[in-house]
Amino acid sequence: MSDDTNGVPLIDLSKQYNEVKEDVDRSLLRVIESGRFILGPEVSAFEGEMADYLGSGNCVGVGSGTDALYLAMKALGIGPGDEVVTTPFTFIATADTIFNCGARPVFADIDPGTFNLDPESVEGKLTPETRAVVVVHLFGQPADLGPILELTVPRGIHVIEDCAQALGAEYRGRKVGTFGVAGTFSFFPTKPLGGFGDGGMVCTADRELADRVRMLRVHGSREKYISDLPGINSRLDEIQAAALRVKLGRLDAWNEERREIASVYDENILGATVPSVARGVSHVYHQYTIRTGEREAVVEHLTESNVGSSVYYPVPLHLQPCFSGLGYGAGDLPESETACREVLSLPIFSGMSIEQVERVYRAVNRAGA
Ligand SMILES: *Cc1c(COP(=O)(O)O)cnc(C)c1O
């Protein structure tokens, strides 16, 4: 067993691995012995299993969650002259992929309760140049897709769902990633379904769009050595797919475990604002993120108790140095900027013991007392 008495890391993947070790190890060996490492039977099988899991669509395995976003936008033909609206309170990949497609990222503000895009703010950012809205289901909580789709569908604007943190989460009873024209996923090791390296996926109900992503991930070619489109090299490895197939079978149980840990935090954290969950969604708690005006003090108490924590995210994307050319300034998106100053993510992972959970909330409460 582990060293629970010595503290609590922000994330500990060893317990998850121990649960599936035998099956995972066997799958990895199977791939190594087969000698097939790129776009073989494991990736095809995993793509089919993900489509079944999500309950819709065609899934295409790619090299990372970042590439999934980039390739989905490329396949939609998004490029120079286009605007793509998104949130500034997310990981940089959500927006630098827009920029790398040649389009202009346009930032809308967030709802301070859920940290997700505020549909009203999105509405104010739509122009005749808007080609898409990239909706992020941040920390594992589905964004308010209904009102966003009501704004975008009649205008012919695409919705792309960045589901990197939210595989398995549901909005009104349906899995996220199946509402927009495409959903993108990351299999980075710490994400809800994590591999042993990088990996990603694009899911879409549109078969032609899926075909274009399939081409773009291998240099735009359908036939070997004939390229129809200028593409890139971005594929999910057979090794990753084999491991992810095993772990997909445990995903719902792991998501449920984190929900249970979150409910213990919800009931016991007194010294800070616990995350609020919108009606009609199931949150998978990729992160459990509190808000506090006393962040430094809370971090100090956590550190004293040997408890890990992290700030996701300290700088909103509209104020990132790489986007200084877009012309945003401090104060432009106040809710996002306040969130960056107040948020703190606490340890949450499957296999976390109740003693570890108690150690975390007690340290938070000591700071807030
Ligand atoms: C992790 C993440 C990505 C990028 O995924 P990678 O697999 O690391 O490239 C994109 N968007 C969000 C919101 C993420 O959390």
Side-chain angles (χ1 to χ4, degrees), residues 42-338:
E42 300 290 343
V43 170
S44 310
F46 180 55
E47 288 174 343
E49 287 155 10
M50 277 286 289
D52 289 344
Y53 178 79
L54 294 172
S56 136
N58 310 274
C59 294
V60 186
V62 299
S64 68
T66 302
D67 284 354
L69 283 160
Y70 174 76
L71 291 171
M73 286 188 267
K74 274 285 184 195
L76 286 165
I78 292 169
D82 296 332
E83 293 180 358
V84 178
V85 176
T86 194
T87 166
F89 191 59
T90 176
F91 181 57
I92 186 76
T94 309
D96 67 8
T97 47
I98 298 170
F99 188 87
N100 287 334
C101 283
R104 182 183 182 81
V106 174
F107 296 106
D109 214 352
I110 57 167
D111 173 300
T114 63
F115 303 118
N116 280 322
L117 270 178
D118 171 5
E120 240 176 78
S121 179
V122 170
E123 184 168 21
K125 303 291 175 179
L126 302 178
T127 74
E129 275 64 61
T130 310
R131 283 288 307 283
V133 177
V134 179
V135 176
V136 181
H137 305 301
L138 197 73
F139 302 147
Q141 170 156 220
D144 200 4
L145 288 161
I148 292 173
L149 289 164
E150 273 170 35
L151 288 171
T152 52
V153 171
R155 293 170 164 93
I157 296 169
H158 299 300
V159 166
I160 297 159
E161 299 176 67
D162 179 348
C163 310
Q165 304 186 0
L167 178 55
E170 293 181 357
Y171 181 79
R172 299 181 186 165
R174 205 166 108 199
K175 294 271 185 323
V176 297
T178 63
F179 290 85
V181 65
T184 64
F185 297 86
S186 166
F187 306 120
F188 183 83
T190 60
K191 301 288 162 98
L193 181 63
F196 298 97
D198 280 314
M201 188 163 271
V202 177
C203 296
T204 173
D206 180 338
R207 187 183 293 262
E208 283 175 25
L209 182 64
D211 282 345
R212 280 199 297 282
V213 175
R214 255 177 232 289
M215 286 169 71
L216 289 170
R217 76 176 166 180
V218 285
H219 295 290
S221 78
R222 228 188 285 268
E223 214 182 309
K224 218 171 181 187
Y225 303 124
I226 305 292
S227 276
D228 297 312
L229 304 164
I232 60 173
N233 170 8
S234 180
R235 299 162 307 208
L236 182 65
D237 289 336
E238 284 286 285
I239 292 244
Q240 300 303 337
L244 292 166
R245 291 180 68 195
V246 174
K247 288 182 146 195
L248 182 58
R250 301 287 303 145
L251 176 66
D252 285 341
W254 289 335
N255 283 348
E256 181 55 30
E257 237 185 285
R258 288 197 309 281
R259 267 195 290 273
E260 282 163 17
I261 295 165
S263 77
V264 176
Y265 280 153
D266 285 348
E267 280 165 33
N268 290 286
I269 288 176
L270 307 167
T273 307
V274 300
S276 62
V277 182
R279 269 166 201 267
V281 308
S282 82
H283 193 323
V284 296
Y285 292 99
H286 169 58
Q287 301 293 347
Y288 186 92
T289 303
I290 58 171
R291 287 182 89 117
T292 166
E294 307 290 327
R295 187 163 68 191
E296 265 174 49
V298 175
V299 171
E300 213 169 280
H301 278 78
L302 289 169
T303 308
E304 263 170 29
S305 301
N306 215 349
V307 171
S309 65
S310 191
V311 174
Y312 301 116
Y313 295 91
V315 179
L317 301 193
H318 65 289
L319 302 180
Q320 289 285 345
C322 69
F323 291 140
S324 61
L326 296 176
Y328 288 91
D332 285 348
L333 298 157
E335 293 296 354
S336 301
E337 292 166 34
T338 307

